[in-house]
Structures are given as C-alpha cells and as structure tokens.
Amino acid sequence: MGHTREQQLQELEGVLHAATGDLSAAQLAALVEHPEAVRSALAAAAGVLSSELGSASLREQSDVETIAGAEPERIDVREADRRMSSRSRLGGTEEVLTADELAVRIGLKTRQSVHDWRRKGRIVGWQGVKRGYVFPAGQFDRHGRLLDGLDRIVPHFSDGYSAWIWLTTRRPSLGGATPIALLGQGERDRVAAAAKGDAQGDFA
C-alpha cells in the first residue's frame, strides 16, 4: 500500500537530512541562500526519475550511469548531467552548455569570466541538476552571438532559470509571442518593458 503524502514528505525530510550531513557549513549556507535552485533541482530529479527510470533498479556506479529509454545506453557522469538538465527543463528540448563550453563560444578566457557575466545579468544560467551551472544555447542568435538586450531582462528575475522560463514562454502582453523570439528580431525595448511589468507583479 502506498504511503500518504505526509508520510512521503517525512521520509523525504529524512533523506534530505542524511544527504546534507556531509556538507560543509558554506555549502549548507549556499543551499539556504538559493532555495529556488534547490526546488528546481528536486523537481528536475523527481521528473527524470519518475519518467525515465520508472521501476528499473538503479545501479550504483561512480563513473557510469544508465539512461533508460527505448534503447538504454551507458554514458559518463558529465553526459548524464547534461541530459538530465536538458530533459528536465523546458520540455526536454533545450540544449545547454557548461561554463567551459560557453566561454569558448563567446570568446572568454576562463569559466570565472562566464560566471562574472552571469552574476551581472549579461547571460542566462542556472544551477544544474547535479553540479555546476548550465547555460541555454538558445540565448545565441543564428550567427552565434549573444542576443542583444539580455542584460535588460535578466536582472528583473530572481534567478536565471526563472528568467529563461519567462523568455521562452508565450506572453499575452507581447501578442502571444515569446520574448526570446522578439529579442532575436531586435525588439529590445518592447521586451524590456514587458519584463519590467512582469517583475512588478504581472507575470502569471
């Protein structure tokens, strides 16, 4: 017989307590400071486990994971991270890049420069499912350049994931168009005004 939701929540609390037992004080503080990232990671992991793994048993291996599907395949941890992040965001179709990959694409010397840009709201990125930040490839135009105007949009949102959801969702305030598509057409002022309005409570 299945457990009630309250029992499941109690069990999850125990799992989380055990999982965080080995974290440093700094790591715990980071989790507390970024609850949206924690919620996103939990939702993403739950979605992947319930839809992809089903009832298949999970084999414990440090360097190799199995992604279930019509044709199960064994992949390394880095590829598993990328697939889990991609499949658990935006319907599973979003290509994401690591900080190193993004640095190469936009010509920055180090991943630290990428994170500096992220903190300043010049690019969109969020904490991945397992470790490290991921950055959606969709923030580049067809010529491989970052879309102009992102720096006027991202600062209006609490985190990069929220900003990207907004950018890629059809907005009634923009005539049913997605903000990211309009940015690609050069309508920076219109999109920035809509982002400001949503930040003031219109985003639903």
Side-chain angles (χ1 to χ4, degrees), residues 29-45:
L31 292 177
V32 172
E33 187 177 348
H34 298 90
E36 289 300 326
V38 175
R39 281 193 287 269
S40 294
L42 285 173

Side-chain angles (χ1 to χ4, degrees), residues 74 115 197:
R74 298 177 72 75
H115 290 300

Side-chain angles (χ1 to χ4, degrees), residues 126-158:
W126 59 78
Q127 185 71 40
V129 174
K130 288 191 174 181
R131 62 178 184 274
Y133 278 81
V134 293
F135 303 86
Q139 61 191 305
F140 294 92
D141 65 19
R142 57 192 179 90
H143 300 294
R145 299 171 302 206
L146 278 172
L147 290 171
D148 190 16
L150 283 174
D151 58 340
R152 298 175 60 186
I153 309 302
V154 179
H156 288 298
F157 298 89
S158 60

Side-chain angles (χ1 to χ4, degrees), residues 61-187:
Q61 291 195 3
S62 60
D63 296 323
V64 180
E65 297 191 10
T66 298
I67 298 296
E71 294 292 336
E73 57 182 308
R74 298 177 72 75
I75 58 177
D76 62 27
V77 171
R78 183 172 179 277
E79 179 63 14
D81 282 351
R82 288 172 58 83
R83 293 191 188 187
M84 288 182 73
S85 294
S86 178
R87 293 179 183 183
S88 59
R89 312 281 182 170
L90 311 174
T93 61
E94 184 65 31
E95 178 191 357
V96 293
L97 307 171
T98 65
D100 288 330
E101 290 168 338
L102 186 65
V104 171
R105 184 169 294 199
I106 60 181
L108 295 176
K109 293 182 178 180
T110 67
R111 71 173 64 181
Q112 184 58 48
S113 298
V114 170
H115 290 300
D116 288 342
W117 278 33
R118 177 183 56 78
R119 283 189 288 269
K120 293 176 182 177
R122 299 179 64 181
I123 55 176
V124 182
W126 59 78
Q127 185 71 40
V129 174
K130 288 191 174 181
R131 62 178 184 274
Y133 278 81
V134 293
F135 303 86
Q139 61 191 305
F140 294 92
D141 65 19
R142 57 192 179 90
H143 300 294
R145 299 171 302 206
L146 278 172
L147 290 171
D148 190 16
L150 283 174
D151 58 340
R152 298 175 60 186
I153 309 302
V154 179
H156 288 298
F157 298 89
S158 60
D159 56 62
Y161 182 51
S162 297
W164 192 246
I165 290 294
W166 184 87
L167 281 163
T168 54
T169 301
R170 294 182 181 277
R171 304 300 305 154
S173 59
L174 293 171
T178 59
I180 196 76
L182 294 180
L183 279 185
Q185 297 169 16
E187 298 194 42

